[in-house]
């Protein structure tokens, strides 16, 4: 289908996300003919920039971060001539009137029918204000569609998320709000539902009769980088668990949707969160583990601890690691622990989901150590993308009745590049497809799960447990797996 011509107004156009992800994504879409033939992009920020300076910044971003090289100068010129810039003080309504006249100019210059997308890649305290000023300036009294694309974090807890949502709802209807969780744009996260619902092999086994436990890891090697100001008030619980980790839990655990349409899928996802067991504050310690990285060594290089990082208080109790054991209390999943872990300064950058199936009765086959390995389905999300299925097979020597694990591997990004998550998501938003965006009820329930954990940790008087940089987080998480007679699987 042909895509609607539109104007994209990007708030935060001089920021890090725009530079690293958004401009390269727009360029990737352009090169793959996935943008409409007619469009315009207006960048806004606090800085004063000329259009020429802005276009140069877009070029530098594409040169440094795009998966596609600039192919020809003529083609580049045709792309970048759609980009313009306007300095906007978000708190100043008059600035929005100026912005509106630029939008109107661009609509006439490029013959655009009035569809407007607003992308907020700015400090979350400003989300509500922008949306109010868009309304009050008349920007949203347009002829075509209007859509608000909004980055995380959506609120700081349930209460502030409700406030923000109320404010945005004054200007945009729920169907017009596209809350980004970039994990939902990742090829292999989207692939989870295809693997599950297009294969007769897995779905019959996808329940508590056949699955022993589920393990979800999102590990990073980087530390807090230059983001201490944000991260100090967020921590890994709000930064990763409230959104990315719970999204993966939903994708793995949802029921099949009635049809492949956005609300049918999101209805099923939200049901998972409704069944997700909410820990009372006094249950948090038994099920959740937090940690903060201490000085350590990453690939032979020594690195400072979190509390020594720039902008971090030496007494900081912010968690850089969260692990936990979750339960979905519904018919399909009753009794199946879902182990999660995420953290910074862990030994490797890796996001993966492992489904551990129940073991067969052990009396016939066993290996010499006496333990028959369970079958595992590994869904690799990042950086390698693919699937491994770990099976048991006969050992190799003539007299050998030993059973050995073997792996069937499929690599999704060995031969070609997958699109960046932001390409997929921006393209979906242009098409008006909100399937892989977070609906309000998902956000609300995710905060309701996270808030008591946060409160329990905020009240905890023990110092936060630390782990040396370059290790897999506090030992205690392993005890939770041991209680369920398992451990973290590493399948290379
Ligand atoms: C972001 C978090 O949402 O996700 C960051 O704010 C984190 O702290 C990042 O580094 C991880 O994303 P990815 O795609 O690299 O796994």
């Amino acid at each position: 289908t042909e895509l609607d011509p539109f104007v994209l107004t990007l708030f935060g156009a001089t920021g890090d996300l725009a530079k690293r992800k958004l401009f390269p994504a727009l360029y990737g879409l352009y090169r793959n003919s996935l943008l409409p033939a007619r469009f315009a992009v207006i960048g806004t920020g606090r800085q004063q920039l000329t259009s020429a300076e802005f276009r140069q910044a877009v070029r530098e971003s594409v040169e440094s971060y795009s998966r596609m090289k600039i192919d020809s100068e003529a083609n580049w010129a045709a792309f970048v001539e759609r980009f313009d810039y306007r300095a906007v003080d978000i708190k100043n309504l008059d600035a929005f009137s100026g912005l509106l006249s630029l939008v109107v100019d661009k609509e006439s210059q490029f013959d655009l029918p009035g569809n407007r997308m607003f992308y907020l890649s700015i400090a979350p305290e400003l989300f509500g204000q922008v949306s109010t000023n868009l309304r009050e300036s008349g920007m949203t009294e347009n002829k075509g569609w209007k859509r608000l694309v909004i980055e995380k974090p959506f609120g700081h807890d349930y209460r502030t998320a409700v406030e923000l949502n109320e404010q945005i709802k004054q200007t945009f209807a729920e169907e017009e709000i596209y809350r980004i969780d970039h994990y939902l744009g990742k090829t292999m996260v989207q692939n989870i539902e295809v693997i599950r619902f297009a294969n007769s092999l897995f779905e019959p086994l996808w329940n508590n009769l056949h699955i022993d436990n589920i393990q979800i890891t999102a590990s990073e090697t980087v530390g807090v980088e230059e983001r201490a100001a944000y991260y100090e008030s967020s921590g890994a619980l709000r930064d990763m668990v409230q959104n990315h980790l719970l999204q993966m839990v939903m994708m793995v655990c949802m029921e099949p949707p009635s049809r492949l349409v956005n609300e049918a899928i999101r209805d099923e996802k939200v049901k998972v969160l409704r069944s997700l067991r909410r820990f009372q504050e006094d249950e948090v310690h038994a099920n959740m583990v937090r940690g903060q990285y201490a000085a350590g060594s990453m690939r032979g290089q020594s690195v400072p601890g979190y509390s020594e990082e720039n902008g971090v208080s030496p007494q900081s109790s912010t968690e850089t690691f969260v692990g936990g054991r979750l339960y979905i209390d519904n018919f399909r999943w009753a009794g199946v622990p879902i182990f999660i872990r995420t953290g910074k300064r862990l030994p490797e950058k890796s996001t993966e989901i492992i489904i551990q199936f129940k073991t067969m009765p052990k009396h016939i086959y066993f290996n010499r150590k006496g333990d028959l390995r369970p079958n595992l389905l590994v869904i690799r999300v990042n950086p390698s993308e693919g699937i491994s299925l770990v099976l048991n097979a006969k050992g190799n020597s003539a007299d050998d009745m030993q059973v050995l694990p073997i792996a069937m591997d499929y690599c999704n990004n060995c031969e070609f590049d997958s699109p960046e998550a932001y390409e997929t998501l921006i393209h979906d938003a242009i098409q008006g497809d909100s399937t892989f965006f977070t609906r309000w009820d998902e956000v609300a329930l995710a905060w309701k799960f996270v808030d008591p954990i946060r409160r329990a940790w905020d009240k905890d008087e023990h110092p936060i447990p630390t782990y040396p940089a370059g290790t897999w987080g506090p030992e205690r998480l392993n005890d939770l797996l041991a209680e369920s007679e398992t451990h973290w699987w590493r399948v290379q």
Side-chain angles (χ1 to χ4, degrees):
T1 55
E2 211 162 290
L3 294 169
D4 298 337
F6 75 117
V7 180
L8 168 62
T9 304
L10 172 58
F11 292 86
T14 54
D16 207 47
L17 187 78
K19 179 170 74 181
R20 287 211 237 186
K21 300 286 183 187
L22 305 182
F23 300 138
L26 287 167
Y27 184 65
L29 290 173
Y30 177 74
R31 286 289 301 281
N32 287 299
S33 308
L34 293 171
L35 288 180
R38 289 174 289 138
F39 70 94
V41 178
I42 298 174
T44 83
R46 270 172 306 195
Q47 258 167 276
Q48 295 288 345
L49 292 181
T50 62
S51 292
E53 287 166 333
F54 179 56
R55 290 173 183 178
Q56 183 55 28
V58 174
R59 180 168 187 132
E60 282 162 19
S61 130
V62 169
E63 283 172 345
S64 319
Y65 298 104
S66 172
R67 66 192 177 94
M68 303 187 115
K69 295 253 166 311
I70 291 174
D71 58 342
S72 83
E73 285 305 321
N75 205 10
W76 173 257
F79 173 68
V80 85
E81 72 170 18
R82 330 285 180 99
F83 285 71
D84 219 321
Y85 183 84
R86 170 67 55 109
V88 168
D89 170 3
I90 283 170
K91 302 209 167 110
N92 176 358
L93 181 57
D94 288 342
F96 282 73
S97 311
L99 187 59
L100 174 57
S101 43
L102 183 59
V103 169
V104 171
D105 283 353
K106 291 291 152 188
E107 287 174 341
S108 81
Q109 180 185 348
F110 293 105
D111 186 24
L112 307 173
N115 298 316
R116 293 178 185 168
M117 183 185 290
F118 306 98
Y119 195 122
L120 309 192
S121 168
I122 50 178
E125 311 81 83
L126 300 172
F127 291 163
Q129 176 99 64
V130 172
S131 120
T132 302
N133 283 344
L134 286 173
R135 184 180 72 250
E136 292 186 349
S137 63
M139 182 75 94
T140 51
E141 284 158 33
N142 51 327
K143 280 188 281 171
W145 48 250
K146 62 175 191 297
R147 290 179 192 146
L148 183 73
V149 183
I150 184 164
E151 277 292 334
K152 65 173 259 264
F154 198 91
H156 192 65
D157 50 21
Y158 175 68
R159 188 182 60 76
T160 50
V162 169
E163 278 169 19
L164 173 59
N165 206 48
E166 289 301 320
Q167 193 171 7
I168 290 174
K169 263 171 44 191
Q170 310 281 312
T171 310
F172 295 92
E174 175 62 28
E175 311 77 69
E176 296 173 325
I177 303 173
Y178 292 71
R179 297 179 194 81
I180 294 249
D181 183 311
H182 78 283
Y183 270 55
L184 288 176
K186 291 182 189 273
T187 303
M188 289 307 294
V189 172
Q190 299 196 351
N191 218 337
I192 295 170
E193 63 179 18
V194 185
I195 294 165
R196 289 189 52 196
F197 303 135
N199 292 300
S200 56
L201 211 55
F202 299 123
E203 191 46 32
L205 305 183
W206 212 262
N207 56 49
N208 58 5
L209 296 179
H210 300 287
I211 291 179
D212 187 85
N213 69 83
I214 297 171
Q215 307 183 357
I216 304 181
T217 299
S219 65
E220 298 187 88
T221 53
V222 294
V224 68
E225 303 180 286
E226 306 306 314
R227 299 164 75 219
Y230 154 74
Y231 201 81
E232 272 288 89
S233 69
S234 146
L237 183 66
R238 291 186 174 109
D239 187 48
M240 295 291 291
V241 177
Q242 190 271 346
N243 37 70
H244 310 321
L245 275 285
L246 289 182
Q247 285 294 344
M248 289 191 279
V249 169
M250 287 185 254
M251 295 297 285
V252 171
C253 297
M254 68 191 263
E255 295 298 311
S258 55
R259 284 176 303 142
L260 275 191
V261 294
N262 58 352
E263 298 312 349
I265 293 172
R266 298 199 296 182
D267 286 346
E268 295 307 335
K269 282 175 57 196
V270 90
K271 281 194 214 161
V272 175
L273 289 188
R274 283 193 207 126
S275 302
L276 174 64
R277 188 180 303 173
R278 266 186 229 158
F279 301 127
Q280 306 295 320
E281 283 177 42
D282 60 359
E283 296 169 325
V284 168
H285 182 74
N287 294 287
M288 300 294 297
V289 174
R290 61 178 177 147
Q292 185 187 80
Y293 63 83
S297 143
M298 306 282 308
R299 295 205 183 85
Q301 295 269 335
S302 56
V303 296
Y306 177 74
S307 62
E308 297 144 4
E309 300 269 20
N310 269 341
V312 175
S313 143
Q315 285 82 41
S316 171
S317 59
T318 303
E319 78 285 353
T320 60
F321 178 96
V322 176
R325 174 177 55 197
L326 316 186
Y327 286 99
I328 311 290
D329 291 321
N330 66 12
F331 204 84
R332 188 189 283 262
W333 294 114
V336 180
I338 302 172
F339 298 103
I340 60 166
R341 61 177 169 175
T342 181
K344 299 210 184 269
R345 289 285 191 225
L346 301 186
E348 60 190 54
K349 168 85 179 158
S350 159
T351 300
E352 67 179 22
I353 298 163
I354 298 185
I355 313 293
Q356 177 181 335
F357 292 91
K358 296 209 160 152
T359 27
M360 298 300 280
K362 295 183 184 179
H363 64 290
I364 306 187
Y365 293 115
F366 54 91
N367 70 21
R368 295 226 167 103
K369 293 198 200 88
D371 64 331
L372 187 63
R373 287 268 208 103
N375 294 139
L376 304 174
L377 174 66
V378 183
I379 301 176
R380 295 184 218 280
V381 174
N382 180 263
S384 46
E385 296 175 4
I387 303 167
S388 290
L389 187 57
V390 180
L391 307 170
N392 289 307
K394 185 183 172 310
N396 287 326
S397 81
D399 68 342
D400 203 349
M401 272 316 290
Q402 185 165 279
V403 173
L404 294 176
I406 57 160
M408 292 170 68
D409 280 311
Y410 163 67
C411 176
N412 194 65
N413 61 343
C414 288
E415 269 151 52
F416 51 85
D417 263 359
S418 298
E420 285 284 333
Y422 277 97
E423 291 176 44
T424 307
L425 294 175
I426 293 173
H427 186 251
D428 286 353
I430 299 171
Q431 284 189 300
D433 181 352
S434 55
T435 307
F436 291 113
F437 293 82
T438 312
R439 201 166 68 184
W440 164 247
D441 46 358
E442 293 174 62
V443 181
L445 288 165
W447 281 124
K448 285 187 174 175
F449 170 75
V450 158
D451 283 354
I453 301 173
R454 182 75 271 158
R455 279 198 298 274
W457 286 346
D458 287 345
K459 286 181 193 160
D460 190 345
E461 277 160 12
H462 302 93
I464 182 165
T466 58
Y467 58 97
T471 66
W472 282 106
E475 264 300 307
R476 194 169 70 84
L477 182 58
N478 297 332
D479 302 341
L480 297 189
L481 279 80
E483 284 170 19
S484 300
E485 292 175 29
T486 189
H487 54 82
W488 292 103
W489 293 100
R490 303 289 307 281
V491 180
Q492 291 307 324

